[in-house]
Amino acid sequence: MKFGILVFPGTWSDRDWHHVLTRVLGHEAVYLWHGDRDLHDCDALIVPGGFAHGDYLRAGAIARFSPIMESVAQFAESGGLVLGSCNGFQILCEAGLLPGALRRNAGMAFRCEWVHLRVERTDTPFTSACEVGQVLRIPISHGEGNFYLDDAELESLEARRGVVLRYCDATGQVTAAANPNGSRNNIAGIINTRGNVMALMPHPERCCETVLGGTDGLPLCHSLTHALAASAR
Amino acid sequence: MSEATITQTHWLARIYVTLKSGVVDPQGDTILGALRQLHFDSVAGVRMGKYLEVTLTAADDAAARATVEAMCTTLLANPVIERYTFEVAPVTS
């Protein structure tokens, strides 16, 4: 099982993902430089967090035109699994692989803290190891995670069950107080219509070992590896 | 080729990218709060956008506009949350 981890100038979570995928989970992982086009026969792609191209203009706006993104789009088009986190979410939205946009956080603060997420669906390759309604505790670290779609498109996203994770409190209640950034409908993670491209603002790769304060990133990683193992059979 | 003809091929585009109405603007809200704190009591609202100056060469006004329009739709504005306006003028100096 081979993972490709995208690296743009300014990406900062690539090594954390590499550590989790190789040392914690025992899989193969390679870095994919933004200026290249070759995906090196990877089975799944990770678009990590950071500040690709300094987040200049808009987060993800310049990264989406990197040569590697054409290959990512083709990979997704052919059904390949793509998971984005934080800046990866912003890049995938800018690239049109996911709907919506991530605006500046409500209240302007850069939020770096643990949050709770309610799993809204488990019939995806990214959440199959979770339970519906399960509350995951995963850290966020972003200044622009305020998910936005206009009313009509938001309704359409909800109607097709495109929301996978919502910010909630420790008991799973989706409240305004539990929303760290002003995201519409407390949206923390979404999936595309086809069900093979997902992204979330939180950082599951930062909580896959007890020593780091939590392991709730593991169910998401395990879901992905189960899906790849199943498709390889 | 006359000097006038050469300078006519250079254009300055002034591009304004702003959030669509209805899209919450945390930066504008924060600036509004700061202005009120400074006793600018008459201020009713603040929306923050981006201003870009792009210099380019083009055969004529229409060509310059078409290029800037393409820049805006491709990269400079995100149609999910932003709109844009621009003006182009020949660079004479």
Side-chain angles (χ1 to χ4, degrees):
Chain A
M1 199 173 292
K2 186 175 173 184
F3 290 86
I5 302 167
L6 270 65
V7 182
F8 300 87
T11 298
W12 75 6
S13 293
D14 45 332
R15 286 168 191 244
D16 290 352
W17 273 108
H18 193 275
H19 170 77
V20 168
L21 292 169
T22 59
R23 295 192 188 175
V24 179
L25 298 174
H27 301 297
E28 186 183 358
V30 294
Y31 295 113
L32 301 173
W33 181 240
H34 79 114
D36 297 335
R37 294 173 191 275
D38 190 348
L39 298 182
H40 295 278
D41 296 320
C42 287
D43 301 303
L45 302 178
I46 305 291
V47 191
F51 294 83
H53 296 279
D55 275 0
Y56 294 152
L57 189 64
R58 295 180 308 278
I62 294 172
R64 70 153 291 199
F65 291 106
S66 290
I68 196 77
M69 289 305 294
E70 284 178 33
S71 305
V72 172
Q74 285 164 11
F75 183 78
E77 180 66 27
S78 67
L81 298 181
V82 181
L83 176 63
S85 161
C86 198
N87 196 210
F89 193 172
Q90 297 160 341
I91 293 168
L92 291 170
C93 284
E94 284 282 342
L97 293 173
L98 287 172
L102 286 312
R103 302 165 298 175
R104 191 68 68 99
N105 290 351
M108 294 299 290
F110 186 101
R111 304 289 295 261
C112 187
E113 61 203 50
W114 290 86
V115 298
H116 293 95
L117 306 168
R118 191 174 77 187
V119 179
E120 299 292 76
R121 53 183 288 196
T122 56
D123 57 338
T124 83
F126 308 95
T127 53
S128 62
C130 305
E131 290 169 25
V132 172
Q134 184 177 351
V135 176
L136 302 175
R137 184 172 163 272
I138 295 181
I140 56 168
S141 172
H142 62 248
E144 295 181 42
N146 185 347
F147 183 80
Y148 177 84
L149 270 179
D150 67 27
D151 291 343
E153 289 193 74
L154 188 65
E155 198 174 314
S156 142
L157 178 74
E158 294 281 7
R160 73 165 175 81
R161 300 174 58 242
V163 180
V164 180
L165 299 167
R166 276 185 229 276
Y167 299 108
C168 65
D169 65 20
T171 66
Q173 298 300 308
V174 174
T175 64
N179 187 340
N181 53 30
S183 288
R184 297 204 75 180
N185 293 10
N186 281 46
I187 289 171
I190 62 172
I191 193 164
N192 66 343
T193 307
R194 182 167 178 175
N196 65 319
V197 179
M198 181 192 153
L200 69 164
M201 282 312 296
H203 286 269
E205 80 282 5
R206 294 187 187 179
C207 55
C208 290
E209 292 161 280
T210 309
V211 69
L212 295 178
T215 57
D216 281 0
L218 285 176
L220 299 176
C221 296
H222 286 150
S223 302
L224 186 51
T225 56
H226 292 168
L228 290 174
S231 69
R233 277 200 293 271
Chain B
M1 196 179 276
S2 74
E3 193 177 319
T5 311
I6 294 166
T7 54
Q8 280 300 305
T9 62
H10 288 74
W11 301 80
L12 170 65
R14 294 185 168 92
I15 303 166
Y16 306 86
V17 180
T18 52
L19 286 172
K20 287 180 176 173
S21 59
V23 176
V24 174
D25 177 10
Q27 293 184 96
D29 291 345
T30 303
I31 295 163
L32 172 66
L35 288 172
R36 289 210 169 127
Q37 204 168 349
L38 293 167
H39 308 296
F40 289 102
D41 298 329
S42 62
V43 64
V46 177
R47 302 284 287 172
M48 179 154 162
K50 294 170 188 152
Y51 169 66
L52 302 97
E53 290 185 345
V54 176
T55 50
L56 68 157
T57 56
D60 53 34
D61 182 272
R65 290 186 163 281
T67 302
V68 174
E69 179 81 29
M71 289 177 187
C72 289
T73 56
T74 307
L75 175 66
L76 302 181
N78 179 342
V80 178
I81 49 172
E82 294 170 327
R83 64 165 60 117
Y84 59 87
T85 60
F86 62 85
E87 55 217 37
V88 297
V91 178
T92 51
S93 57

Short mmCIF file of all heavy atoms in Angstrom, two decimals, chain A residues 115-164:
data_model
loop_
_atom_site.label_atom_id
_atom_site.label_comp_id
_atom_site.label_asym_id
_atom_site.label_seq_id
_atom_site.Cartn_x
_atom_site.Cartn_y
_atom_site.Cartn_z
N VAL A 115 -10.41 20.09 19.02
CA VAL A 115 -11.84 20.26 18.83
C VAL A 115 -12.49 18.87 18.79
O VAL A 115 -11.80 17.85 18.67
CB VAL A 115 -12.18 21.01 17.51
CG1 VAL A 115 -11.61 22.42 17.52
CG2 VAL A 115 -11.70 20.22 16.29
N HIS A 116 -13.81 18.88 18.90
CA HIS A 116 -14.57 17.63 18.77
C HIS A 116 -15.30 17.64 17.44
O HIS A 116 -15.79 18.68 17.00
CB HIS A 116 -15.56 17.48 19.93
CG HIS A 116 -14.90 17.29 21.26
ND1 HIS A 116 -14.65 18.35 22.12
CD2 HIS A 116 -14.38 16.18 21.84
CE1 HIS A 116 -14.02 17.88 23.20
NE2 HIS A 116 -13.85 16.57 23.07
N LEU A 117 -15.35 16.47 16.82
CA LEU A 117 -16.00 16.33 15.52
C LEU A 117 -17.00 15.19 15.58
O LEU A 117 -16.69 14.11 16.10
CB LEU A 117 -14.95 15.99 14.45
CG LEU A 117 -13.76 16.94 14.34
CD1 LEU A 117 -12.67 16.30 13.46
CD2 LEU A 117 -14.20 18.27 13.74
N ARG A 118 -18.18 15.44 15.05
CA ARG A 118 -19.18 14.37 14.99
C ARG A 118 -19.13 13.72 13.61
O ARG A 118 -19.18 14.42 12.59
CB ARG A 118 -20.59 14.92 15.26
CG ARG A 118 -21.60 13.80 15.46
CD ARG A 118 -22.94 14.34 15.86
NE ARG A 118 -23.65 14.90 14.70
CZ ARG A 118 -24.79 15.56 14.78
NH1 ARG A 118 -25.34 15.79 15.95
NH2 ARG A 118 -25.37 16.03 13.69
N VAL A 119 -19.02 12.42 13.58
CA VAL A 119 -18.99 11.68 12.32
C VAL A 119 -20.41 11.56 11.80
O VAL A 119 -21.27 10.96 12.45
CB VAL A 119 -18.36 10.28 12.51
CG1 VAL A 119 -18.36 9.51 11.19
CG2 VAL A 119 -16.95 10.39 13.07
N GLU A 120 -20.68 12.14 10.64
CA GLU A 120 -22.03 12.17 10.09
C GLU A 120 -22.36 10.96 9.22
O GLU A 120 -23.50 10.62 9.04
CB GLU A 120 -22.23 13.45 9.27
CG GLU A 120 -22.06 14.73 10.08
CD GLU A 120 -23.17 14.93 11.10
OE1 GLU A 120 -23.13 14.25 12.14
OE2 GLU A 120 -24.06 15.75 10.86
N ARG A 121 -21.32 10.38 8.63
CA ARG A 121 -21.59 9.18 7.83
C ARG A 121 -20.35 8.29 7.81
O ARG A 121 -19.22 8.75 7.90
CB ARG A 121 -22.03 9.55 6.41
CG ARG A 121 -21.11 10.48 5.69
CD ARG A 121 -21.66 10.84 4.33
NE ARG A 121 -21.59 9.73 3.39
CZ ARG A 121 -21.71 9.88 2.07
NH1 ARG A 121 -21.92 11.07 1.54
NH2 ARG A 121 -21.64 8.84 1.26
N THR A 122 -20.60 7.01 7.70
CA THR A 122 -19.50 6.04 7.75
C THR A 122 -19.44 5.20 6.48
O THR A 122 -18.61 4.32 6.36
CB THR A 122 -19.67 5.09 8.95
OG1 THR A 122 -20.95 4.46 8.85
CG2 THR A 122 -19.56 5.85 10.25
N ASP A 123 -20.30 5.52 5.52
CA ASP A 123 -20.28 4.81 4.25
C ASP A 123 -19.35 5.50 3.26
O ASP A 123 -19.69 5.72 2.11
CB ASP A 123 -21.70 4.70 3.67
CG ASP A 123 -22.35 6.06 3.49
OD1 ASP A 123 -21.91 7.01 4.17
OD2 ASP A 123 -23.28 6.18 2.67
N THR A 124 -18.16 5.87 3.75
CA THR A 124 -17.15 6.48 2.89
C THR A 124 -15.83 5.75 3.13
O THR A 124 -15.64 5.14 4.19
CB THR A 124 -16.93 7.98 3.21
OG1 THR A 124 -16.03 8.09 4.32
CG2 THR A 124 -18.23 8.69 3.53
N PRO A 125 -14.91 5.81 2.16
CA PRO A 125 -13.60 5.15 2.35
C PRO A 125 -12.77 5.82 3.43
O PRO A 125 -11.73 5.28 3.81
CB PRO A 125 -12.92 5.33 0.98
CG PRO A 125 -13.97 5.79 0.03
CD PRO A 125 -15.02 6.46 0.84
N PHE A 126 -13.22 6.96 3.92
CA PHE A 126 -12.42 7.72 4.89
C PHE A 126 -12.95 7.61 6.32
O PHE A 126 -12.30 8.05 7.26
CB PHE A 126 -12.38 9.20 4.48
CG PHE A 126 -11.96 9.40 3.05
CD1 PHE A 126 -12.91 9.54 2.04
CD2 PHE A 126 -10.62 9.45 2.70
CE1 PHE A 126 -12.54 9.71 0.72
CE2 PHE A 126 -10.23 9.62 1.38
CZ PHE A 126 -11.19 9.75 0.37
N THR A 127 -14.16 7.04 6.46
CA THR A 127 -14.78 6.99 7.80
C THR A 127 -15.40 5.63 8.12
O THR A 127 -16.15 5.51 9.10
CB THR A 127 -15.88 8.07 7.91
OG1 THR A 127 -16.80 7.91 6.81
CG2 THR A 127 -15.30 9.47 7.91
N SER A 128 -15.09 4.62 7.32
CA SER A 128 -15.75 3.31 7.52
C SER A 128 -15.39 2.67 8.86
O SER A 128 -16.15 1.84 9.36
CB SER A 128 -15.38 2.36 6.37
OG SER A 128 -13.98 2.15 6.37
N ALA A 129 -14.25 3.05 9.44
CA ALA A 129 -13.86 2.47 10.72
C ALA A 129 -14.45 3.24 11.90
O ALA A 129 -14.17 2.94 13.05
CB ALA A 129 -12.33 2.43 10.83
N CYS A 130 -15.29 4.24 11.60
CA CYS A 130 -15.95 5.02 12.66
C CYS A 130 -17.39 4.53 12.81
O CYS A 130 -17.86 3.69 12.06
CB CYS A 130 -15.95 6.50 12.32
SG CYS A 130 -14.34 7.21 11.96
N GLU A 131 -18.08 5.11 13.78
CA GLU A 131 -19.50 4.85 13.94
C GLU A 131 -20.25 6.15 13.71
O GLU A 131 -19.74 7.22 14.05
CB GLU A 131 -19.81 4.33 15.36
CG GLU A 131 -19.28 2.93 15.60
CD GLU A 131 -19.37 2.55 17.07
OE1 GLU A 131 -20.22 3.13 17.79
OE2 GLU A 131 -18.56 1.70 17.49
N VAL A 132 -21.45 6.05 13.16
CA VAL A 132 -22.25 7.26 12.96
C VAL A 132 -22.51 7.91 14.31
O VAL A 132 -22.90 7.23 15.27
CB VAL A 132 -23.58 6.93 12.25
CG1 VAL A 132 -24.48 8.17 12.24
CG2 VAL A 132 -23.32 6.46 10.82
N GLY A 133 -22.25 9.19 14.40
CA GLY A 133 -22.47 9.91 15.65
C GLY A 133 -21.27 9.86 16.58
O GLY A 133 -21.25 10.53 17.62
N GLN A 134 -20.26 9.07 16.20
CA GLN A 134 -19.04 9.01 17.02
C GLN A 134 -18.42 10.40 17.12
O GLN A 134 -18.42 11.17 16.16
CB GLN A 134 -18.04 8.04 16.37
CG GLN A 134 -16.78 7.82 17.19
CD GLN A 134 -15.84 6.78 16.54
OE1 GLN A 134 -16.22 6.10 15.58
NE2 GLN A 134 -14.64 6.67 17.06
N VAL A 135 -17.89 10.71 18.29
CA VAL A 135 -17.22 12.00 18.49
C VAL A 135 -15.71 11.78 18.49
O VAL A 135 -15.19 11.01 19.29
CB VAL A 135 -17.67 12.66 19.81
CG1 VAL A 135 -16.90 13.95 20.05
CG2 VAL A 135 -19.17 12.92 19.80
N LEU A 136 -15.05 12.43 17.56
CA LEU A 136 -13.59 12.34 17.47
C LEU A 136 -12.98 13.61 18.06
O LEU A 136 -13.51 14.70 17.87
CB LEU A 136 -13.15 12.20 16.01
CG LEU A 136 -13.69 11.01 15.22
CD1 LEU A 136 -13.24 11.09 13.76
CD2 LEU A 136 -13.22 9.69 15.84
N ARG A 137 -11.87 13.46 18.75
CA ARG A 137 -11.16 14.62 19.31
C ARG A 137 -9.85 14.76 18.53
O ARG A 137 -8.96 13.91 18.62
CB ARG A 137 -10.89 14.39 20.80
CG ARG A 137 -10.24 15.56 21.50
CD ARG A 137 -10.20 15.31 23.01
NE ARG A 137 -9.26 16.20 23.67
CZ ARG A 137 -7.97 15.94 23.82
NH1 ARG A 137 -7.47 14.80 23.37
NH2 ARG A 137 -7.18 16.80 24.42
N ILE A 138 -9.80 15.82 17.72
CA ILE A 138 -8.69 16.03 16.78
C ILE A 138 -8.30 17.51 16.80
O ILE A 138 -9.18 18.37 16.89
CB ILE A 138 -9.12 15.59 15.35
CG1 ILE A 138 -9.39 14.08 15.32
CG2 ILE A 138 -8.08 15.95 14.31
CD1 ILE A 138 -9.80 13.52 13.97
N PRO A 139 -7.02 17.82 16.70
CA PRO A 139 -6.64 19.25 16.74
C PRO A 139 -6.88 19.99 15.42
O PRO A 139 -6.81 19.40 14.34
CB PRO A 139 -5.15 19.23 17.07
CG PRO A 139 -4.67 17.89 16.67
CD PRO A 139 -5.84 16.95 16.70
N ILE A 140 -7.15 21.28 15.55
CA ILE A 140 -7.18 22.17 14.39
C ILE A 140 -6.00 23.14 14.52
O ILE A 140 -5.45 23.33 15.61
CB ILE A 140 -8.49 22.99 14.28
CG1 ILE A 140 -8.74 23.80 15.56
CG2 ILE A 140 -9.66 22.09 13.91
CD1 ILE A 140 -9.83 24.84 15.41
N SER A 141 -5.65 23.76 13.41
CA SER A 141 -4.57 24.74 13.41
C SER A 141 -4.69 25.56 12.14
O SER A 141 -4.07 25.26 11.13
CB SER A 141 -3.23 23.98 13.45
OG SER A 141 -2.14 24.84 13.27
N HIS A 142 -5.57 26.55 12.19
CA HIS A 142 -5.79 27.32 10.96
C HIS A 142 -6.36 28.71 11.23
O HIS A 142 -6.99 28.95 12.25
CB HIS A 142 -6.74 26.56 10.01
CG HIS A 142 -8.11 26.32 10.59
ND1 HIS A 142 -8.58 25.07 10.93
CD2 HIS A 142 -9.14 27.17 10.86
CE1 HIS A 142 -9.81 25.17 11.39
NE2 HIS A 142 -10.18 26.42 11.37
N GLY A 143 -6.12 29.58 10.26
CA GLY A 143 -6.68 30.94 10.31
C GLY A 143 -7.80 31.13 9.31
O GLY A 143 -8.58 32.09 9.40
N GLU A 144 -7.88 30.20 8.34
CA GLU A 144 -8.92 30.32 7.31
C GLU A 144 -9.61 28.97 7.12
O GLU A 144 -9.30 28.23 6.19
CB GLU A 144 -8.30 30.80 5.99
CG GLU A 144 -7.74 32.21 6.11
CD GLU A 144 -7.13 32.71 4.80
OE1 GLU A 144 -7.73 32.48 3.74
OE2 GLU A 144 -6.06 33.32 4.86
N GLY A 145 -10.53 28.69 8.05
CA GLY A 145 -11.22 27.41 7.98
C GLY A 145 -12.73 27.56 7.99
O GLY A 145 -13.47 26.61 8.21
N ASN A 146 -13.15 28.77 7.70
CA ASN A 146 -14.55 29.17 7.80
C ASN A 146 -15.29 28.76 6.52
O ASN A 146 -15.35 29.52 5.56
CB ASN A 146 -14.54 30.69 8.02
CG ASN A 146 -15.89 31.29 8.27
OD1 ASN A 146 -16.92 30.66 8.06
ND2 ASN A 146 -15.89 32.55 8.70
N PHE A 147 -15.82 27.54 6.54
CA PHE A 147 -16.39 26.96 5.31
C PHE A 147 -17.63 27.72 4.86
O PHE A 147 -18.53 27.99 5.63
CB PHE A 147 -16.75 25.48 5.53
CG PHE A 147 -17.28 24.81 4.29
CD1 PHE A 147 -16.39 24.37 3.31
CD2 PHE A 147 -18.64 24.64 4.09
CE1 PHE A 147 -16.87 23.76 2.15
CE2 PHE A 147 -19.12 24.03 2.93
CZ PHE A 147 -18.23 23.60 1.96
N TYR A 148 -17.64 28.01 3.56
CA TYR A 148 -18.77 28.76 3.01
C TYR A 148 -19.27 28.15 1.70
O TYR A 148 -18.49 27.78 0.82
CB TYR A 148 -18.36 30.21 2.73
CG TYR A 148 -19.48 31.01 2.09
CD1 TYR A 148 -20.47 31.60 2.87
CD2 TYR A 148 -19.58 31.13 0.70
CE1 TYR A 148 -21.52 32.30 2.29
CE2 TYR A 148 -20.62 31.84 0.11
CZ TYR A 148 -21.59 32.42 0.91
OH TYR A 148 -22.62 33.11 0.34
N LEU A 149 -20.59 28.04 1.61
CA LEU A 149 -21.29 27.83 0.34
C LEU A 149 -22.54 28.69 0.44
O LEU A 149 -23.05 28.92 1.54
CB LEU A 149 -21.72 26.36 0.19
CG LEU A 149 -20.77 25.37 -0.49
CD1 LEU A 149 -21.39 23.98 -0.50
CD2 LEU A 149 -20.44 25.80 -1.92
N ASP A 150 -23.05 29.15 -0.69
CA ASP A 150 -24.28 29.94 -0.59
C ASP A 150 -25.46 29.02 -0.23
O ASP A 150 -25.33 27.79 -0.23
CB ASP A 150 -24.53 30.75 -1.86
CG ASP A 150 -24.84 29.89 -3.08
OD1 ASP A 150 -25.35 28.77 -2.92
OD2 ASP A 150 -24.57 30.36 -4.20
N ASP A 151 -26.60 29.60 0.09
CA ASP A 151 -27.72 28.85 0.63
C ASP A 151 -28.11 27.66 -0.25
O ASP A 151 -28.30 26.55 0.24
CB ASP A 151 -28.94 29.77 0.81
CG ASP A 151 -28.72 30.78 1.93
OD1 ASP A 151 -27.80 30.55 2.75
OD2 ASP A 151 -29.45 31.78 1.97
N ALA A 152 -28.23 27.92 -1.54
CA ALA A 152 -28.70 26.88 -2.46
C ALA A 152 -27.70 25.72 -2.53
O ALA A 152 -28.08 24.54 -2.45
CB ALA A 152 -28.91 27.47 -3.85
N GLU A 153 -26.42 26.07 -2.62
CA GLU A 153 -25.41 25.00 -2.74
C GLU A 153 -25.21 24.26 -1.43
O GLU A 153 -24.91 23.07 -1.41
CB GLU A 153 -24.08 25.60 -3.23
CG GLU A 153 -24.14 26.02 -4.69
CD GLU A 153 -22.77 26.30 -5.25
OE1 GLU A 153 -22.02 25.35 -5.48
OE2 GLU A 153 -22.46 27.50 -5.42
N LEU A 154 -25.39 24.99 -0.32
CA LEU A 154 -25.28 24.35 0.99
C LEU A 154 -26.39 23.32 1.15
O LEU A 154 -26.17 22.20 1.62
CB LEU A 154 -25.38 25.41 2.09
CG LEU A 154 -25.09 24.95 3.52
CD1 LEU A 154 -23.64 24.51 3.67
CD2 LEU A 154 -25.41 26.07 4.51
N GLU A 155 -27.59 23.71 0.72
CA GLU A 155 -28.73 22.79 0.79
C GLU A 155 -28.46 21.55 -0.06
O GLU A 155 -28.76 20.42 0.35
CB GLU A 155 -29.98 23.53 0.27
CG GLU A 155 -31.28 22.88 0.68
CD GLU A 155 -32.47 23.73 0.25
OE1 GLU A 155 -32.43 24.96 0.47
OE2 GLU A 155 -33.40 23.15 -0.31
N SER A 156 -27.89 21.78 -1.22
CA SER A 156 -27.59 20.66 -2.12
C SER A 156 -26.51 19.76 -1.52
O SER A 156 -26.59 18.53 -1.61
CB SER A 156 -27.20 21.24 -3.48
OG SER A 156 -26.19 20.52 -4.06
N LEU A 157 -25.50 20.35 -0.88
CA LEU A 157 -24.44 19.57 -0.22
C LEU A 157 -25.03 18.70 0.89
O LEU A 157 -24.71 17.51 1.01
CB LEU A 157 -23.37 20.51 0.35
CG LEU A 157 -22.22 19.84 1.12
CD1 LEU A 157 -21.25 19.15 0.15
CD2 LEU A 157 -21.45 20.86 1.97
N GLU A 158 -25.90 19.31 1.69
CA GLU A 158 -26.52 18.57 2.80
C GLU A 158 -27.44 17.47 2.26
O GLU A 158 -27.47 16.36 2.77
CB GLU A 158 -27.32 19.53 3.69
CG GLU A 158 -26.45 20.55 4.45
CD GLU A 158 -25.77 19.96 5.68
OE1 GLU A 158 -25.84 18.74 5.89
OE2 GLU A 158 -25.14 20.76 6.43
N ALA A 159 -28.18 17.80 1.18
CA ALA A 159 -29.14 16.84 0.62
C ALA A 159 -28.44 15.60 0.09
O ALA A 159 -28.96 14.48 0.21
CB ALA A 159 -29.96 17.51 -0.47
N ARG A 160 -27.25 15.79 -0.46
CA ARG A 160 -26.54 14.62 -0.99
C ARG A 160 -25.62 13.98 0.07
O ARG A 160 -24.80 13.15 -0.24
CB ARG A 160 -25.74 14.99 -2.24
CG ARG A 160 -24.50 15.82 -2.02
CD ARG A 160 -23.61 15.80 -3.25
NE ARG A 160 -22.46 16.67 -3.15
CZ ARG A 160 -21.33 16.34 -2.51
NH1 ARG A 160 -21.21 15.18 -1.91
NH2 ARG A 160 -20.32 17.19 -2.47
N ARG A 161 -25.76 14.39 1.31
CA ARG A 161 -24.97 13.88 2.43
C ARG A 161 -23.49 14.08 2.19
O ARG A 161 -22.68 13.19 2.42
CB ARG A 161 -25.30 12.41 2.69
CG ARG A 161 -26.77 12.18 3.02
CD ARG A 161 -27.14 10.72 3.15
NE ARG A 161 -26.35 10.05 4.17
CZ ARG A 161 -25.51 9.04 3.92
NH1 ARG A 161 -25.33 8.61 2.70
NH2 ARG A 161 -24.86 8.48 4.90
N GLY A 162 -23.16 15.29 1.74
CA GLY A 162 -21.76 15.59 1.45
C GLY A 162 -20.96 15.97 2.69
O GLY A 162 -19.73 16.07 2.64
N VAL A 163 -21.65 16.21 3.81
CA VAL A 163 -20.95 16.59 5.04
C VAL A 163 -20.58 15.32 5.81
O VAL A 163 -21.44 14.52 6.15
CB VAL A 163 -21.82 17.50 5.93
CG1 VAL A 163 -21.06 17.88 7.20
CG2 VAL A 163 -22.23 18.74 5.15
N VAL A 164 -19.29 15.16 6.09
CA VAL A 164 -18.81 13.95 6.76
C VAL A 164 -18.53 14.23 8.24
O VAL A 164 -18.78 13.39 9.10
CB VAL A 164 -17.52 13.43 6.07
CG1 VAL A 164 -17.01 12.18 6.77
CG2 VAL A 164 -17.79 13.14 4.60
#
